[in-house]
Amino acid sequence: MWHAYNVPIISEGSMSMSKRIEVDDDVYAHIAGHTQHIGESASDILRRLLNLPKGTAQPVLASAASQRRIFDVLNHADLAEQRSVVARFLHILAMLYRCHADDFSRVLQVRGRDRIYFAASENELAQAGNSTNPKQIPASPYWVITNNNTTRKKSMLTQVAKELGYSEADAEKIRDFL
């Protein structure tokens, strides 16, 4: 098992870049166990543990939520625990909501030719068609239909990712998590 992180790296010319690294679960637990305050970055923890000097690049000021992407919070171990396609589908949507809660209402625009896929209530989906099997996206106020096939669910994930600002290539990566 492993976790992936985007870690700020200082390169020549003091340009701050983010590199993705994979670490084993025990290493992740060790890093997380040495957090001294909420919001402390993995880089800051590692600098402290390794006695490295503070970087000279200034962080970009933006809200933490707007910087987060699904690739920062979704890991293969969590996906492997989801025993069905519907469970994985809901988990991926929950992680997208977690990263993009402020913009997630955009998914309400994702629709089929004659069908709505997302709604703010179970009742809205139930009234929109027969046997929609609506499920609440975990830890969100949104609902999604789940009685469609895997290919349609993948298409829905691709459309959701694009609505949330992901590139075509990243939307395909998200789709392939399913």
Side-chain angles (χ1 to χ4, degrees), residues 1-143:
M1 301 292 173
W2 55 270
H3 284 78
Y5 292 94
N6 286 330
V7 178
I9 304 293
I10 307 304
S11 62
E12 290 182 35
S14 295
M15 295 294 290
S16 179
M17 300 169 57
S18 192
K19 300 288 184 187
R20 188 170 177 89
I21 63 171
E22 295 177 4
V23 297
D24 292 330
D25 283 343
D26 60 326
V27 174
Y28 169 80
H30 184 79
I31 294 168
H34 284 83
T35 302
Q36 290 184 342
H37 58 83
I38 294 174
E40 185 176 28
S41 72
S43 267
D44 290 342
I45 296 167
L46 289 171
R47 283 183 187 284
R48 188 175 70 268
L49 294 175
L50 298 171
N51 295 318
L52 296 174
K54 183 91 171 141
T56 57
Q58 296 298 314
V60 176
L61 297 177
S63 74
S66 69
Q67 293 177 4
R68 293 171 88 190
R69 295 172 38 92
I70 192 169
F71 306 112
D72 299 328
V73 297
L74 187 66
N75 67 61
H76 293 284
D78 289 342
L79 280 175
E81 290 177 12
Q82 309 304 317
R83 299 289 181 211
S84 70
V85 171
V86 170
R88 280 192 303 276
F89 180 62
L90 291 171
H91 184 73
I92 293 165
L93 289 169
M95 293 301 100
L96 284 165
Y97 175 78
R98 182 173 163 193
C99 294
H100 306 284
D102 292 342
D103 299 322
F104 203 79
S105 63
R106 293 180 188 173
V107 305
L108 298 175
Q109 299 171 28
V110 175
R111 297 171 175 256
R113 186 178 57 226
D114 299 318
R115 191 172 211 189
I116 64 171
Y117 294 149
F118 295 90
S121 72
E122 178 182 19
N123 193 37
E124 188 178 346
L125 287 175
Q127 290 178 350
N130 293 331
S131 64
T132 57
N133 197 18
K135 302 269 188 217
Q136 187 167 18
I137 298 170
S140 88
Y142 297 95
W143 291 74

